[in-house]
Amino acid sequence: MLDACAELLDEGGYGELSTTRIAERAGVAIGSVYQFFPDKKAITQALGLRYLEMFSERVRLRLADQKFDHWTDGVDAIIDEYIDMHRTVPGFRSLHFGDVVDVRLLDGAADNNRVIADRLRDLVATLPDTPDGRELDRAATVAVEAADAVLKLAFRHNADGDPELITEAKLLVRSYLGRHFLAE
């Protein structure tokens, strides 16, 4: 059902999504959908959480598998994972982490970007020369918000993402983190 939801989001967006269409695409009875999800928002929430877990795992593996000389290389790797998901994961381009549905879709107590910032903060804290603490908390929040805005702009009119804007997003985040919070 989540895969069907992702396909339908790419085809028509959230406005065109319905539990009936999800059931039809998944090849299940509508009652089966309602057995697990009370409405389309609950389905997209489950899909957004799936994307968050997928993104977190991809970033974790990439950071663990590669040896970075400096934390800025890790920042680029994180942005590259987001871009790859945007280009290759069905439904991600339309839903991201749920902001098109509800800014608190992932967690009713926090904005979606805050949830992402908390996850990334924990992952970035493992990189070389990255101090831990309140400054990193704030920096992760600002960096995620800024990157989110620029990356949305990069994909607004270019399905693969405007390469120059992607480069600018990386530069923005690295410069911000380097200048204000993290040791060079």
Side-chain angles (χ1 to χ4, degrees):
M1 287 183 268
L2 294 181
D3 292 338
C5 179
E7 291 170 9
L8 291 167
L9 282 168
D10 276 347
E11 291 171 16
Y14 186 74
E16 298 295 317
L17 190 67
S18 71
T19 53
T20 301
R21 292 187 72 210
I22 292 169
E24 289 170 358
R25 177 65 59 94
V28 300
I30 190 70
S32 296
V33 173
Y34 288 123
Q35 180 180 359
F36 298 101
F37 306 105
D39 54 29
K40 73 178 187 177
K41 183 176 177 182
I43 298 169
T44 55
Q45 180 183 38
L47 187 59
L49 289 167
R50 174 199 266 184
Y51 292 151
L52 178 62
E53 293 306 319
M54 180 187 298
F55 179 65
S56 298
E57 183 63 9
R58 288 172 66 148
V59 167
R60 186 192 68 72
L61 289 172
R62 185 145 181 198
L63 295 180
D65 289 346
Q66 294 181 341
K67 300 296 181 220
F68 298 106
D69 293 328
H70 200 264
W71 62 264
T72 55
D73 299 325
V75 168
D76 286 353
I78 291 167
I79 292 173
D80 288 341
E81 285 301 328
Y82 176 87
I83 298 215
D84 187 61
M85 284 183 66
H86 205 283
R87 290 175 178 160
T88 64
V89 175
F92 188 77
R93 174 186 314 260
S94 302
L95 186 62
H96 303 253
F97 294 109
D99 54 331
V100 297
V101 176
D102 183 345
V103 296
R104 291 184 174 221
L105 187 70
L106 300 176
D107 181 341
D111 288 350
N112 297 333
N113 278 351
R114 179 73 220 180
V115 173
I116 296 161
D118 289 345
R119 289 281 181 103
L120 291 177
R121 178 219 173 282
D122 293 342
L123 292 167
V124 169
T126 67
L127 295 174
D129 301 320
T130 307
D132 201 359
R134 289 178 46 117
E135 292 81 15
L136 184 57
D137 291 343
R138 185 174 57 243
T141 299
V142 171
V144 166
E145 290 290 345
D148 182 51
V150 177
L151 291 172
K152 281 180 182 170
L153 177 63
F155 283 95
R156 188 173 298 150
H157 302 291
N158 183 333
D160 288 325
D162 180 316
E164 292 175 353
L165 289 173
I166 291 168
T167 298
E168 291 297 320
K170 291 177 179 181
L171 177 62
L172 174 77
V173 173
R174 284 190 316 243
S175 297
Y176 167 73
L177 292 175
R179 182 159 189 246
H180 293 289
F181 299 103
L182 300 175
E184 287 290 342

